[in-house]
Amino acid sequence: MKEDGFKIENGKLWKREGGGLVEQRASKQTIERIKGNLAIRDLVRENINAQMKGENADAIRLRLNRAYDAFVKIHGFINEDKNRRVMRDDPDWPLLSSLEKWNKKTKTATKTDMFEKDTVSVAKKIDKAESVAEALGISLNELGTMDLDRIASLTGKTKEEAGKELLDQKLAYEDPKQGWKSAKEYLS
C-alpha cells in the first residue's frame, strides 16, 4: 500500500502514514465513496497487469465497466468535486481521474479507452545487444543487477569474453567475494 493511500477494513477507513495505518474519521457515505473508488482502482491495476503479461483482459474490462457504472449511478462521475475532494490526496488519484474525459462546462464525463480496449502493450524481452555496454544496461534494467550470464547471452559471447570486455571498458569488475559487479556498484 502506497504512502497516503486509503484502505477500507471492517467498515473503517485507514490511511497509510509514516509506514503505519492511521484510522480516519469519515462519514459512512464518504467511506462508501472511497470504497467504490478503490474497487475501480484495483480493477484498473488488474487490467493493466493482465495486458502487460499479454493476457486477455476482456473479462476484467467487463468487471471494470460494471464497477464504474455502478459507482457513477450512486456517487456521480469520478471527477466530480464531491469525489475529487475525498480522493485528491490519495496517490492513486491521478490514475482514477485519468479514467474519464471530463467536460468542465457541462460537468459530465465519458469513459476513456481503458474501458473498451487494450491500452498497454506487452513488454518484449530483448534477446540481442550490439555491445557488452548495451547488454549491461539491459541486465541492469531487467534484473536490477549485473548478470554476466545474461550479458553473454545477449552478445553471443562466452562469459569469459563478455567479462574481459566489461573489464577492459571499465564497465564492471570482478569482486573476489561477491562476483561480478557493475563499475558503479563496485566503486561505491
Side-chain angles (χ1 to χ4, degrees):
M1 184 175 167
K2 297 176 185 176
E3 188 68 17
D4 292 325
F6 290 122
K7 176 180 184 170
I8 309 277
E9 192 171 277
N10 300 323
K12 294 181 180 179
L13 177 63
W14 301 86
K15 187 175 186 180
R16 184 173 180 96
E17 293 178 2
L21 292 176
V22 177
E23 187 175 353
Q24 305 294 300
R25 296 182 66 166
S27 69
K28 185 176 180 182
Q29 184 179 17
T30 297
I31 291 173
E32 287 302 311
R33 190 178 302 280
I34 292 171
K35 185 177 180 181
N37 273 291
L38 297 181
I40 292 168
R41 175 211 58 199
D42 291 345
L43 286 166
V44 169
R45 285 183 179 165
E46 190 178 341
N47 185 14
I48 291 169
N49 288 337
Q51 290 177 52
M52 288 176 65
K53 293 175 186 173
E55 299 171 357
N56 184 324
D58 290 343
I60 300 165
R61 239 187 321 277
L62 180 61
R63 292 187 357 245
L64 172 61
N65 272 285
R66 287 180 180 157
Y68 173 84
D69 293 343
F71 178 88
V72 170
K73 187 175 182 178
I74 296 168
H75 302 290
F77 296 111
I78 290 172
N79 282 292
E80 284 186 42
D81 287 341
K82 59 188 174 185
N83 292 315
R84 184 180 305 135
R85 268 193 302 275
V86 298
M87 291 301 294
R88 69 176 168 232
D89 293 331
D90 186 275
D92 287 313
W93 170 247
L95 174 66
L96 286 165
S97 134
S98 73
L99 295 174
E100 296 175 330
K101 294 176 188 169
W102 181 246
N103 185 319
K104 290 180 183 179
K105 284 184 180 180
T106 63
K107 301 211 184 284
T108 58
T110 55
K111 296 176 182 178
T112 59
D113 288 346
M114 174 71 69
F115 292 93
E116 297 175 20
K117 60 185 177 182
D118 287 353
T119 56
V120 178
S121 26
V122 177
K124 294 179 181 165
K125 188 164 180 162
I126 300 169
D127 58 0
K128 187 173 187 338
E130 297 299 319
S131 67
V132 292
E134 182 182 355
L136 174 60
I138 293 167
S139 173
L140 292 172
N141 184 52
E142 290 177 347
L143 308 170
T145 188
M146 185 191 141
D147 181 337
L148 192 57
D149 288 323
R150 179 77 174 124
I151 293 167
S153 169
L154 287 165
T155 58
K157 300 177 185 300
T158 66
K159 283 173 57 174
E160 292 75 22
E161 292 169 332
K164 182 177 181 335
E165 281 190 42
L166 287 165
L167 192 58
D168 289 348
Q169 295 176 36
K170 299 183 174 142
L171 295 171
Y173 299 94
E174 188 171 14
D175 183 303
K177 294 180 183 175
Q178 298 181 330
W180 284 91
K181 301 285 178 192
S182 69
K184 182 177 181 180
E185 187 179 3
Y186 183 79
L187 298 172
S188 64

